[in-house]
Amino acid sequence: MILLSKHSNLAHLNTSTDIPKLSEFISLFEGLEKKLDYGRLIKEKESFESLLERFIVQEEEVQKVKASKADNYNIFDILAVRHYEAKVHSPFLAHLLDPKGSHEQGKLFYRHFIESVFKEDLIKTNLLNGVNLQVETELSSQYGFIDIAIRNNSIDNSFILIIENKIYAGDQERQLERYYEYARNILRLSDKQIRILYLKPNRARPGAFSINDDLYKKLKGNVLQEIGYKEDILPWLKNLKNEIKAERVKHSLQQYMDVIKTL
């Protein structure tokens, strides 16, 4: 038996009629609350489905853009050869610098390279006037293997341009000294006819192991010059890219430039 105080607000309730009504009201309230929760869930579900649909549409658009550009496609990465000096970088650069290369751009690469790297007009003139250019890689002699050698053999304008390519390999004993001696003793060229470029990812002085200090001071800025992939090679290729007529060459060049950025 339920005892109700006379001071209670429920004291006047009729237990036979009011209590069932109260129970019914509570049941209706709970049912309404459940309906409201269900309605909210429906709205949230519809909102989520709309968001998911927009995401799918956007993802499809992103995939279309990726398919049309393939920005991450790089043949050097696929073949895992981006860090190979003798097998990749030297042959690729030598091919670009060779007017007879299959790029079919003639002296375009060579001319831009000379104008970009060398500052003295006389040096530029001599190198640009080469009419019988011979470009070789791994040129072998008793003085060692020269990574890239560009020679012009003519009576009035003979010269050699030597590029020593150093990405990760260290200097060899008297390496630059030997290449200089090769040009002087074997080719019988004067200092004015010899140019040696020491190429690193970033410009750097060759070590004393490769060339002694006295000879370095004598040749620096005259015969010998330091250049870098990022300071010199990359700007050289960027500046001439729009002049290239062959799309296949442009695509290859862009992939190579992407490789240079990671050296």
Side-chain angles (χ1 to χ4, degrees), residues 127 157-161 188-195:
L127 294 174
N157 187 26
S158 292
F159 63 77
I160 185 168
L161 172 58
R188 302 292 182 181
L189 298 175
S190 67
D191 283 4
K192 292 181 179 180
Q193 298 170 296
I194 305 168
R195 289 296 175 269

Side-chain angles (χ1 to χ4, degrees), residues 161-177:
L161 172 58
I162 295 171
I163 302 177
E164 179 54 31
N165 193 10
K166 293 290 185 187
I167 297 179
Y168 295 108
D171 292 328
Q172 298 176 22
E173 185 177 5
R174 297 188 63 250
Q175 191 169 24
L176 294 183
E177 291 181 22

Side-chain angles (χ1 to χ4, degrees), residues 144-237:
F145 293 89
I146 296 174
D147 290 332
I148 302 174
I150 303 175
R151 291 186 289 176
N152 187 65
N153 298 318
S154 64
I155 297 175
D156 57 343
N157 187 26
S158 292
F159 63 77
I160 185 168
L161 172 58
I162 295 171
I163 302 177
E164 179 54 31
N165 193 10
K166 293 290 185 187
I167 297 179
Y168 295 108
D171 292 328
Q172 298 176 22
E173 185 177 5
R174 297 188 63 250
Q175 191 169 24
L176 294 183
E177 291 181 22
R178 288 186 278 110
Y179 296 164
Y180 175 66
E181 291 170 0
Y182 165 77
R184 292 283 292 181
N185 300 336
I186 302 300
L187 301 182
R188 302 292 182 181
L189 298 175
S190 67
D191 283 4
K192 292 181 179 180
Q193 298 170 296
I194 305 168
R195 289 296 175 269
I196 301 175
L197 298 176
Y198 184 72
L199 174 59
K200 297 272 287 182
N202 296 288
R203 290 177 191 165
R205 171 179 171 165
F209 190 61
S210 178
I211 182 170
N212 68 71
D213 288 340
D214 290 339
L215 185 58
Y216 174 79
K217 292 176 183 177
K218 173 187 174 183
L219 302 183
K220 168 68 176 172
N222 178 21
V223 172
L224 176 62
Q225 181 176 332
E226 297 104 350
I227 62 173
Y229 273 95
K230 294 177 181 173
E231 297 98 328
D232 300 285
I233 301 300
L234 193 56
W236 160 52
L237 298 177

Side-chain angles (χ1 to χ4, degrees), residues 74-103:
N74 190 298
I75 192 65
F76 298 97
D77 285 335
I78 294 171
L79 299 177
V81 295
R82 65 165 53 221
H83 299 304
Y84 291 174
E85 296 169 0
K87 297 298 183 183
V88 176
H89 290 277
S90 291
F92 193 84
L93 292 174
H95 179 77
L96 293 179
L97 293 169
D98 189 351
K100 304 181 186 71
S102 61
H103 50 69

Side-chain angles (χ1 to χ4, degrees), residues 50-68:
S50 175
L51 180 63
L52 180 60
E53 185 177 343
R54 291 199 302 271
F55 173 79
I56 292 173
V57 171
Q58 290 177 356
E59 181 65 16
E60 289 175 349
E61 292 300 318
V62 169
Q63 290 302 322
K64 288 179 182 178
V65 172
K66 286 184 177 180
S68 65

